[in-house]
Amino acid sequence: MSLANKTQKSYLLCHETGCFPPRAQARPQTHQTHGISRQDDYGWLRADNWQEVMRDPSVLDPDIRAYLEAENAYQDAIMEPTRELQEKLFAEMRGRIKEDDSSVPAPDGKFAYGMKFETGGQQPIFFRTPRDGGEETILLHGDKEADGKAYFRIGGASQSPDHKLLAWAYDDKGSEYYSLQIRDVASGKDLDYSIADTGGGGVFSTNGRFVFYVRLDDNHRPSKLFRHEIGTDPAGDVLVHEEEDAGFFMGVGKTQSGDTILIDIHDHETSEVWMIPADQPELPPVLIAPRDTGVEYSVEDHGDTLYILTNLGDAEDFKIVTAPKATPGREFWSDLVQHKPGCLILSHCVYKTFMTRLEREDGLPRIVIRRLADNIEHSVEFDEEAYSLGLGGGYEFDTTVIRFSYSSMTTPSQTFDYDVQTRERLLRKEQEVPSGHDASDYVTRRLMAPAADGETVPVSILYHKDTKLDGSAPLLLYGYGSYGITIPASFNTNSLSLVDRGFVYAIAHIRGGKDKGFRWYKDGRRETKKNTFTDFIAAADHLVAEKFTVHDRIVAQGGSAGGMLMGAVSNMAPDKFGGIIAEVPFVDVLETMLDDTLPLTPPEWPEWGNPITDKTAYEYIASYSPYDNVGAKDYPAILAVAGLTDPRVTYWEPAKWVAKLRAVKSGDSLLMLKTNMEAGHGGASGRFDRLKEVALVQAFALMVTGKA
């Protein structure tokens, strides 16, 4: 028996505690697609009225609720011996947070806008001051708005151009249906109506008379853009644009100049943008370029010129083109920043005299400044082996100062103002760790793990300088690997609780992200999705080979699509891990991709393939979908975490997965499901309540590696 399983046995004395794992009733359902039959014993865990449950969790079917609550009770009982440890972990993590923290206010005209927290407060407080400092005006007090609510999350808050109004949105169910409010800043009171079922936040016209917002339908699809006239009944709001293809998302924003309102329509590989003059908000939107499968683009403007970031043609890692605003079609696009293979342009922003772009090459980010008058460029870079950069647009167009953030796995976040003319950096804020942090106590490194097909997988690692690297250390290996999302090697105070207890903390930058350019993403989706899983296993093997740990002391962690990764590797290589933490895991991939009534299914087909129309896609997804590949084998210890009102990964996916694992797997390894009955995809909404969930998963990691 492995060390991890020996440790689990000490917590699994259920015959003494009276605690036994729940068993969901098998109610077989048979489905047939492309002439292929499959049986689902636990499909009944999906509520027929799931749309209603998103809005009102109390209407959940009693049988389903009883099962979820039984799993919660079992998890509570098993983890009870770690209660004191969880409280200690929570106290440590909270002690690293500056409770009365505040952002550096960002200038906007005669004011500067910022966000802060009060000591003991869970929710953000939005404020403004005179531009050069002075008395604060509280615009939105999150703790007061959240009072009495079990769940509360602010979806966005933006000021009108004349600074008289604030458009803000909140979700009090975890379902991500946001209610949009309009607040009169002078009185501090919201207008006497609310706009329901929005995507969160709104965009003002130049005169502040109108606000544009996206409304979600009953299937949680952002498909309609409305224009609301301030002070009028929302029932009369004007439908500006509707997206009829269920496979596309819709969003609304504004260029840095403030001149143009943008309607962004996209899936995971194709985009289409429409524009409306912000000072003529009642004009119909104008199409920039029609969607073309596989072509993405995003838009900024400067006077009569559009600056467009795109992968058109052979620009796999993107390029920047310009076009006249009057004739924006692709036939008028002219290259400004050429495509450079292996150098991925992540974003761009255009100001009055310069343009910025954030790009990544050789796995490391940098900021490039381009002077518009003569196209002379210079870059902002750092020397650490692994680090993270964040670039914010700010509120102003006519400025020479940009703001960016920098951190590494050992260096707390730093906020800089950078003057693009003088090239001077001004440190405006450094993340405080009230309980203390000495970067010299820690080591961060970047390894390259060899994959079976000859690729090398970057792995960022953090450990305490006193940790012995002789194979005895436990290790937490985090992975995601989908949608082109890159997990940055940034400072994470929560990870220090494990690292200070002798853990090595590692991030595997696997295919499916864009860590090594767009091809790194392309080689980890659809028909090459299994590269994501084999890369993660290769990273685990390399960490063992390099004497950082041994396999049964590796705890793997991932959430959402990263939770799918957890399910896949636990099926493919269960002996390579001592524990699995799967947070809101997307594990029922085949069934979800076959159900086009679910919120995210049609937009997800470019990422995974469409098994409804494509038998090859069906068979490939079926070959790795975690739920469909659960087998009679010894699994590592598993903790799955779900959210009842989660619209992204519905609660029944982890519930079905755990139910099937209980029925099918061999061995006596620990298996638990924790469903947050009052939250959605992001877990608890308060900054401290969320830490309690982190403490739970860390206690699990410590428990299964014998460190509890």
Side-chain angles (χ1 to χ4, degrees), residues 66-84:
Y67 171 68
L68 297 179
E69 289 180 344
E71 286 284 3
N72 281 349
Y74 174 70
Q75 181 274 141
D76 285 342
I78 293 301
M79 295 300 290
E80 179 59 34
T82 71
R83 188 67 54 197
E84 184 176 337

Side-chain angles (χ1 to χ4, degrees), residues 317-391:
D317 288 313
F318 289 77
K319 63 182 179 180
I320 297 175
V321 302
T322 60
K325 191 176 284 187
T327 54
R330 290 192 184 94
E331 64 270 30
F332 299 103
W333 291 9
S334 176
D335 286 3
L336 178 68
V337 178
Q338 299 284 340
H339 173 245
K340 180 182 177 183
C343 180
L344 177 65
I345 304 177
L346 300 165
S347 63
H348 74 311
C349 192
V350 178
Y351 299 83
K352 185 174 181 179
T353 61
F354 64 96
M355 177 178 72
T356 63
R357 67 179 187 268
L358 182 63
E359 60 187 31
R360 183 185 302 112
E361 188 170 19
D362 296 326
L364 293 177
R366 63 171 169 257
I367 298 166
V368 180
I369 314 297
R370 185 184 187 99
R371 197 162 60 196
L372 297 180
D374 54 17
N375 291 327
I376 292 177
E377 294 188 348
H378 70 275
S379 62
V380 182
E381 302 180 58
F382 292 85
D383 297 327
E384 284 196 79
E385 196 170 330
Y387 60 85
S388 172
L389 275 181
L391 181 60

Side-chain angles (χ1 to χ4, degrees), residues 10-300:
S10 69
Y11 287 90
L12 279 171
L13 300 177
C14 285
H15 62 283
E16 294 180 5
T17 65
C19 167
F20 295 93
R23 292 276 181 171
Q25 183 182 9
R27 303 178 188 176
Q29 302 171 353
T30 301
H31 307 280
Q32 190 167 88
T33 309
H34 303 298
I36 303 169
S37 294
R38 70 187 191 286
Q39 180 174 306
D40 186 353
D41 289 345
Y42 305 102
W44 65 271
L45 288 169
R46 168 183 164 164
D48 292 335
N49 64 337
W50 62 267
Q51 293 101 328
E52 295 177 65
V53 174
M54 293 282 181
R55 300 173 185 271
D56 182 5
S58 69
V59 302
L60 180 67
D61 179 275
D63 284 353
I64 299 172
R65 181 176 294 277
Y67 171 68
L68 297 179
E69 289 180 344
E71 286 284 3
N72 281 349
Y74 174 70
Q75 181 274 141
D76 285 342
I78 293 301
M79 295 300 290
E80 179 59 34
T82 71
R83 188 67 54 197
E84 184 176 337
L85 172 62
Q86 290 182 52
E87 291 172 357
K88 187 173 183 180
L89 290 166
F90 171 76
E92 288 176 7
M93 289 184 281
R94 182 166 181 166
R96 299 189 192 102
I97 294 175
K98 187 176 187 296
E99 295 211 10
D100 58 346
D101 202 7
S102 177
S103 68
V104 180
D108 182 16
K110 62 183 179 180
F111 296 106
Y113 289 79
M115 186 180 73
K116 67 177 183 177
F117 290 90
E118 290 181 342
T119 299
Q122 298 247 40
Q123 299 288 340
I125 300 167
F126 295 82
F127 69 91
R128 77 181 182 194
T129 66
R131 182 184 183 97
D132 297 322
E135 184 177 354
E136 288 183 355
T137 298
I138 301 301
L139 304 174
L140 178 63
H141 198 299
D143 289 312
K144 292 180 179 179
E145 301 294 340
D147 187 42
K149 296 180 173 66
Y151 181 95
F152 185 83
R153 188 182 298 276
I154 295 173
S158 57
Q159 64 271 19
S160 60
D162 61 7
H163 305 281
K164 294 180 179 180
L165 300 172
L166 186 77
W168 71 282
Y170 70 89
D171 167 24
D172 59 5
K173 298 289 190 302
S175 60
E176 299 179 42
Y177 282 103
Y178 288 90
S179 296
L180 179 63
Q181 308 286 138
I182 307 297
R183 175 161 296 187
D184 175 69
V185 172
S187 68
K189 297 184 181 300
D190 293 325
L191 303 188
D192 59 358
Y193 59 85
S194 178
I195 304 174
D197 301 339
T198 77
V203 175
F204 283 101
S205 60
T206 300
N207 61 12
R209 179 183 165 193
F210 298 98
V211 66
F212 292 80
Y213 66 90
V214 173
R215 181 172 288 161
L216 309 183
D217 65 17
D218 288 340
N219 283 345
H220 211 275
R221 290 177 179 145
S223 57
K224 295 180 179 180
L225 178 76
F226 286 88
R227 184 181 69 241
H228 170 71
E229 185 171 3
I230 305 299
T232 66
D233 185 348
D237 288 354
V238 176
L239 176 63
V240 176
H241 194 73
E242 181 173 5
E243 174 53 50
E244 296 183 354
D245 189 333
F248 282 79
F249 300 98
M250 178 186 289
V252 61
K254 191 183 276 190
T255 57
Q256 183 70 25
S257 70
D259 290 345
T260 307
I261 293 168
L262 300 173
I263 307 168
D264 176 58
I265 299 169
H266 64 277
D267 62 12
H268 292 297
E269 66 173 6
T270 304
S271 56
E272 178 178 280
V273 182
W274 298 68
M275 58 182 175
I276 302 171
D279 62 353
Q280 301 179 73
E282 296 178 89
L283 289 181
V286 173
L287 176 64
I288 293 176
R291 68 194 68 175
D292 184 4
T293 300
V295 177
E296 299 179 71
Y297 68 97
S298 58
V299 179
E300 281 287 337

Side-chain angles (χ1 to χ4, degrees), residues 570-588:
S570 65
N571 285 331
M572 295 169 64
D575 58 327
K576 299 293 180 73
F577 307 97
I580 299 284
I581 299 167
E583 298 178 280
V584 290
F586 177 37
V587 283
D588 195 12

